[in-house]
Amino acid sequence: MPATACARANVALVKYWGKRPGPLNLPAVGSLSLTLAGLEATASVGPRAAGAPAFMSAGQAVEGTAARRMEAFLERLREFAPGAPPLAVEVGIGFPVGAGLASSAAIFCATAAAGLSALGLSRDRRELSRLARQGSGSAARSVFGGLVEWHRGRRPDGEDSFAEPLAGGDNWPLAMAVAVIEHGPKAIPSRDAMEHVAQTSPFFEAWIAGQDADLAAARQAVGAHDLTALGTIAEQNCLRMHATCFAARPPVMYWRPGSLAVIDEIRRLRAEGVAAWFTMDAGPQVKALCLENDLEVIATRLATVPGVQAVLRARSGAGVEMIEGAPPWS
Ligand code: PMV
């Protein structure tokens, strides 16, 4: 029964920010992302021994909200196999957790794949994406490699809210340099921030209203392999998302002085002719979108910026893979 899967983090270029009501974790907007090699999580799922924790990470029992969320997700998986024993998951993760590097996307995606495999179930990747979404929204996108679009969908049952690889995204050697400003968990988890911002930010409606145009422009840029167009949309979309946060009451501020210094440096690089565009998520880290060939130059420069603790180098990566056990997808 034990099964192990590996999934990578993804970083959105057009952000998921806002939910529709209900328990199915349905997004208020579509989104588009790049899956990253190297930012990996593995999840091993098997039966839960009596008295043992349901969620272990790096050899330690996870407690609190994160544990409750994972337990609920494991129960959700078990609903597909009536009579199966309770499940436990052991997660291994090789990058900073809870700091705006989408660790939850990699963790829940790997857990969904390993869980289905452990239960002996078979589902296509689209269904896996719908399931992963229920653990963490952005996990829906980590099912696939490279450039991925997660469709918002309209149906209340969430059947039309899944991710899939983006047309024209193949054979485009994209990469990201990730400037880590702060290790350690973020001040406000994205899930809580999203809800608070939706309820209190006067800019939230405008954010939602602008998303379809950004998605259409990003799709077109991907189809044409136009990095300038994609990077420009990514920066504008990121700034609009963070503007909703700044305007919330009380405000949500993920930015640190180091974040702004990295953004300045990316703009300077661009003025010098190096193709790099920034994006930020629910944390202070700044990611520079670029071509593989420019990754080293950009990463080396960002490492010199005051406030930068480390720079991770990530190329476009593959979707979820099985390490042990039969793949649940057909
Ligand atoms: O999947 P969640 O609930 O951790 O939300 C992710 C939200 C952002 O990272 C800020 C944006 C995105 O699309 O990944």
Side-chain angles (χ1 to χ4, degrees), residues 10-12 14-17 19 25 31 69 102 104-105 136-139 141 186 190-191 194 241 280-282:
N10 69 76
V11 169
V14 178
K15 306 292 183 190
Y16 154 51
W17 194 246
K19 294 181 197 296
N25 215 20
S31 57
R69 190 168 153 194
S104 64
S136 172
S138 52
R141 300 185 307 236
K186 55 195 159 197
S190 45
R191 182 167 283 222
M194 252 182 232
M241 178 203 121
M280 283 177 68
D281 292 284

Side-chain angles (χ1 to χ4, degrees), residues 3-7 41-45 70 89-92 106-107 109-112 114-115 323:
T4 302
C6 170
T42 57
S44 299
V45 177
M70 179 58 87
V89 62
E90 162 106 44
V91 161
I107 291 170
C109 180
T111 303
I323 294 174

Side-chain angles (χ1 to χ4, degrees), residues 239-275:
L239 291 173
R240 288 203 302 110
M241 178 203 121
H242 284 275
T244 68
C245 298
F246 286 133
R249 297 171 201 143
V252 175
M253 287 192 199
Y254 287 117
W255 296 39
R256 294 285 170 275
S259 316
L260 198 53
V262 172
I263 287 176
D264 276 351
E265 196 62 35
I266 291 171
R267 289 160 64 107
R268 246 190 306 278
L269 276 160
R270 208 152 68 221
E272 291 166 19
V274 181

